[in-house]
Amino acid sequence: MAAKNVIYYYSGSGNSLSVAKHVGKKLGNTDILSIYTLRDDADVPANYRRVGIVTATWFVRPPRIVKEVCEKLHISKKQRVFIIATCGGYDGYVCIDLKAILQPKTKYPVQTFMLPMPPNHIVGFSPLPDWANRIYLKHEAKASVKIARQIKSCKKTKNRKGFNRKALACVS
């Protein structure tokens, strides 16, 4: 049996939950849990080989609950960690902020990924037409496969230079 994985997600619109499910399916043997399950008890069971955080981007930063949980998170140094930031085109400092918190908790490099999704900030963006949303979602399905492959390979993620809608990885 393959090593067990867990992905903790934070999702306001469902975008990050969708990514968590797709990546989890490609990784196999993955539990998908809300980040809120860690709010009171931030101990991640040692039977998980990989621990993932999938979160939305709020005003170029991680949502407060995600940052607070990551600060309290107790993981084994032997557990591998990855972060996927979903965003409307720019992940800002989500990967940088969360990696700075999580890297000291594991002996392995924290893998970080950025994945553009349909923009849904109702003040900042007008709703996209259906055809544009379909393009984002088609990209997400393909990108989730690539992200899962890279997570499985345990390779360091590459530096992302500048803004690029096709970018999959970012590292601080």
Side-chain angles (χ1 to χ4, degrees):
M1 183 159 93
K4 199 164 187 175
N5 310 296
V6 63
I7 296 176
Y8 295 101
Y9 70 90
Y10 174 83
S11 189
S13 66
N15 283 343
S16 295
L17 174 57
S18 177
V19 170
K21 287 179 177 180
H22 287 144
V23 171
K25 184 176 180 182
K26 294 300 177 188
L27 287 175
N29 201 16
T30 301
D31 293 331
I32 309 293
L33 303 171
S34 169
I35 197 95
Y36 287 101
T37 62
L38 296 171
R39 190 172 212 172
D40 296 323
D41 180 9
D43 291 332
V44 176
N47 65 317
Y48 291 118
R49 178 172 179 230
R50 293 185 191 96
V51 179
I53 305 290
V54 179
T55 183
T57 299
W58 278 13
F59 301 102
V60 303
R61 295 285 184 188
R64 180 182 293 158
I65 182 66
V66 175
K67 189 173 180 184
E68 288 173 357
V69 166
C70 287
E71 287 168 344
K72 296 188 314 184
L73 197 65
H74 297 119
I75 59 173
S76 161
K77 286 278 191 188
K78 295 179 181 180
Q79 290 173 312
R80 295 184 177 273
V81 177
F82 64 90
I83 301 160
I84 303 173
T86 62
C87 56
Y90 177 60
D91 63 326
Y93 301 97
V94 174
C95 291
I96 294 167
D97 289 355
L98 296 181
K99 183 177 181 182
I101 294 166
L102 295 171
Q103 187 59 70
K105 299 179 184 212
T106 179
K107 68 179 184 178
Y108 300 106
V110 172
Q111 295 174 297
T112 57
F113 304 90
M114 176 271 248
L115 187 52
M117 294 293 284
N120 56 27
H121 182 267
I122 59 174
V123 174
F125 299 100
S126 297
L128 293 177
D130 286 344
W131 64 266
N133 283 328
R134 284 193 295 277
I135 291 170
Y136 271 102
L137 298 176
K138 185 176 179 182
H139 172 72
E140 182 269 331
K142 290 179 183 178
S144 293
V145 172
K146 291 178 183 178
I147 289 171
R149 191 177 309 130
Q150 194 162 356
I151 291 167
K152 283 182 178 180
S153 76
C154 301
K155 292 182 183 175
K156 276 184 152 180
T157 46
K158 297 178 184 175
N159 285 324
R160 181 172 49 91
K161 297 182 181 177
F163 177 72
N164 179 353
R165 286 201 180 272
K166 293 185 178 181
L168 293 178
C170 65
V171 173
S172 55

